[in-house]
Amino acid sequence: SQQGEEDPQALSIQEGENATMNCSYKTSINNLQWYRQNSGRGLVHLILIRSNEREKHSGRLRVTLDTSKKSSSLLITASRAADTASYFCATDSSYGNNRLAFGKGNQVVVIP
Amino acid sequence: NAGVTQTPKFRVLKTGQSMTLLCAQDMNHEYMYWYRQDPGMGLRLIHYSVGEGTTAKGEVPDGYNVSRLKKQNFLLGLESAAPSQTSVYFCASRPGLSTGELFFGEGSRLTVL
């Protein structure tokens, strides 16, 4: 079964605004990852946050993790048209089953 | 450095036909995965491999078979294609469990009529 569940599913914002997406999961994890997928392309890794971390930054990306609530958020600051894509969270289970479980994804449209 | 390469990129099959999707990675990664992506469903794991000669089932393995005879290649086979297998298939790899990040191919779009 899917572990990640992003919310909201679709987001439309103006260029320069911030975009926030949430992800919830069900089981204990080693890490949680966020990926971006441009239309018709493969997924590209954005950022990984480990279970003992609460916040991580990478450029305009900020990820938070709350293991007590089993949830994570991805914030994209000062969005650009090039940020238009689908964003997926994926969880790496701490049960050592060697695989990532992906959520259904958030579609983000940044209007120039 | 090509990364993860999937062939073919597009294919149309008739119900009952068979085919094989090839995934090749040149990064010497141990772990390789096959996912399918359907609208509104996210990515679902079909089969995966944690090393040459090993394979394991994911969450939607029925109707598919896989083989990992060489470390760099992971093949996904459809023995008797069904319309329900119309999807975009993604291969991914990673060095090992502790490194986390997956490297994806560009996808193979399969249509079964």
Side-chain angles (χ1 to χ4, degrees):
Chain A
S1 63
Q2 301 249 30
Q3 282 214 30
E5 286 286 343
E6 295 89 353
D7 175 55
Q9 299 295 311
L11 185 63
S12 183
I13 57 174
Q14 294 288 331
E15 203 165 29
E17 293 181 339
N18 296 339
T20 300
M21 289 154 272
N22 298 309
C23 169
S24 60
Y25 57 92
K26 295 185 174 73
T27 63
S28 179
I29 62 171
N30 282 327
N31 64 71
L32 185 143
Q33 303 175 34
W34 286 91
Y35 289 79
R36 183 186 75 230
Q37 184 181 34
N38 291 99
S39 181
R41 306 296 299 274
L43 280 73
V44 175
H45 182 263
L46 293 176
I47 194 164
L48 179 153
I49 186 165
R50 300 192 187 283
S51 60
N52 61 352
E53 298 175 313
R54 292 296 167 259
E55 187 171 312
K56 201 162 183 181
H57 296 255
S58 178
R60 294 184 294 112
L61 303 179
R62 173 177 163 254
V63 170
T64 61
L65 179 64
D66 186 335
T67 52
S68 66
K69 295 182 179 177
K70 290 187 168 57
S71 68
S72 172
S73 68
L74 172 67
L75 168 68
I76 305 173
T77 60
S79 63
R80 305 167 182 169
D83 295 327
T84 294
S86 293
Y87 293 84
F88 295 86
C89 71
T91 51
D92 216 343
S93 170
S94 59
Y95 295 119
N97 59 10
N98 303 318
R99 55 198 195 185
L100 286 180
F102 282 82
K104 293 182 173 57
N106 272 283
Q107 187 168 3
V108 175
V109 175
V110 181
I111 303 165
Chain B
N1 192 341
V4 178
T5 303
Q6 294 182 227
T7 52
K9 291 184 170 46
F10 303 92
R11 184 75 187 269
V12 178
L13 288 177
K14 293 181 180 178
T15 296
Q17 288 185 318
S18 63
M19 75 157 298
T20 300
L21 296 176
L22 171 63
C23 176
Q25 52 94 3
D26 59 3
M27 298 172 284
N28 201 34
H29 286 175
E30 289 292 335
Y31 295 5
M32 297 186 73
Y33 305 81
W34 276 107
Y35 288 90
R36 60 176 289 174
Q37 184 177 33
D38 303 291
M41 299 293 292
L43 273 77
R44 293 181 292 170
L45 182 65
I46 305 171
H47 286 281
Y48 65 102
S49 168
V50 299
E52 182 179 317
T54 73
T55 63
K57 294 180 180 178
E59 57 181 313
V60 289
D62 294 342
Y64 304 95
N65 56 75
V66 287
S67 65
R68 183 106 181 261
L69 299 180
K70 293 182 179 179
K71 186 177 183 177
Q72 63 267 33
N73 296 337
F74 195 29
L75 279 66
L76 178 70
L78 285 72
E79 289 186 348
S80 180
S84 61
Q85 293 177 304
T86 293
S87 188
V88 181
Y89 292 84
F90 286 98
C91 178
S93 70
R94 62 179 175 180
L97 184 61
S98 62
T99 55
E101 174 187 352
L102 284 179
F103 294 80
F104 280 85
E106 289 296 300
S108 296
R109 183 175 294 275
L110 174 66
T111 301
V112 183
L113 303 176

